[in-house]
Every structure is written in structure tokens, then in C-alpha cells.
Amino acid sequence: MISTKGRYALRVMIDLSQHTDEGYIPLKDIAERQGISKKYLEIIVHDLVKHDFVNGVSGKGGGYMLCRKPEEYNVGEIIETMEGTLSPVACLADPNYDCDRANKCETLPMWTEFNNLVHDYFYNKNLTDLI
């Protein structure tokens, strides 16, 4: 399940995509437009800045803006940055995971197929697809 943190991060990124020509966007404006607590958005944008998705500037005329063009962000990278892996099972989430059942696991092909569907779905959508 994708938490509010991941969903709200997407909403922030979409909001910034829709206002790229306006320069730095104050967080209070995003919070008002999205109906999300400014306090909660502060936590989210902190992570987005930390992972180089957005730039932040303090003070008068400050706010947030995307580091790249909207079409250069895919939904998968945003969600996984905020949520962690989208993989449904540990053996697919970590390539170094040592599973003693991997060569005889009857369910691994199903989990692999599901994992690939989810991955491809989110990684083949960019922000401009959502605007």
C-alpha cells in the first residue's frame, strides 16, 4: 500500500509541474491548492530536496521548484524514494537477499511477474502524463 507520504509527494510534484513558469512556489500555496497541512508538506519537501527532486529557497521570494523538467520525472522513482521498494516480496526487493528456496519456489514466477507489472506501470508514467 502506498502511504499518504508517497501520494502527497506526487501531488506536490504535480503541483510544481503545473507552475514551473512561476519560479519558486511557496509551500503555503501548494498546501492551500492541495488541501494538505503545510506542516506535513514540510516533511515531504524536505525529503524531495534531500533526494534532488526539488530545489528550495528560504526567505522572501522563496519556495520550491523542480530540479528537472516535469517529463524527466517518472512516478516510480518518486514513489520508491518516498516509500521504499515497491516489490511485493523480500527476495525481489533486495538483489543480495539469499533465499534458500529460490530455485524451488513455486510462487516466485508469479511474484516476479507481479513485480514487473507494478514496476513497469509506475516507471513508464511521468509527471506530464498526470497533468
Side-chain angles (χ1 to χ4, degrees):
M1 179 188 298
I2 298 171
S3 72
T4 56
K5 189 174 183 183
R7 294 192 323 267
Y8 289 2
L10 269 176
R11 288 170 59 182
V12 168
M13 297 294 287
I14 291 167
D15 192 285
L16 291 172
S17 296
Q18 293 170 321
H19 298 91
T20 55
D21 59 340
E22 298 173 27
Y24 286 94
I25 307 298
L27 195 57
K28 68 175 183 59
D29 293 355
I30 298 169
E32 287 174 15
R33 283 193 293 262
Q34 295 301 318
I36 303 170
S37 153
K38 182 177 177 254
K39 201 76 167 154
Y40 191 34
L41 285 186
E42 288 170 355
I43 297 166
I44 292 169
V45 296
H46 176 268
D47 285 347
L48 293 172
V49 168
K50 179 176 142 186
H51 290 94
D52 296 322
F53 286 109
V54 302
N55 288 319
V57 173
S58 299
K60 185 175 170 115
Y64 297 91
M65 71 171 21
L66 298 178
C67 292
R68 306 181 298 221
K69 296 176 184 172
E71 62 269 15
E72 294 174 2
Y73 293 92
N74 67 62
V75 171
E77 72 177 321
I78 297 166
I79 292 174
E80 283 198 322
T81 296
M82 301 307 285
E83 300 284 338
T85 183
L86 294 170
S87 296
V89 291
C91 59
L92 295 175
D94 179 2
N96 297 318
Y97 185 84
D98 187 25
C99 178
D100 58 351
R101 292 195 42 81
N103 62 350
K104 59 186 173 216
C105 179
E106 292 86 1
T107 62
L108 184 58
M110 174 191 66
W111 292 126
T112 301
E113 183 179 2
F114 179 72
N115 186 61
N116 292 339
L117 287 168
V118 170
H119 179 276
D120 293 348
Y121 181 81
F122 287 123
Y123 276 84
N124 286 316
K125 289 202 176 304
N126 62 38
L127 290 178
T128 53
D129 293 330
L130 302 177
I131 302 175

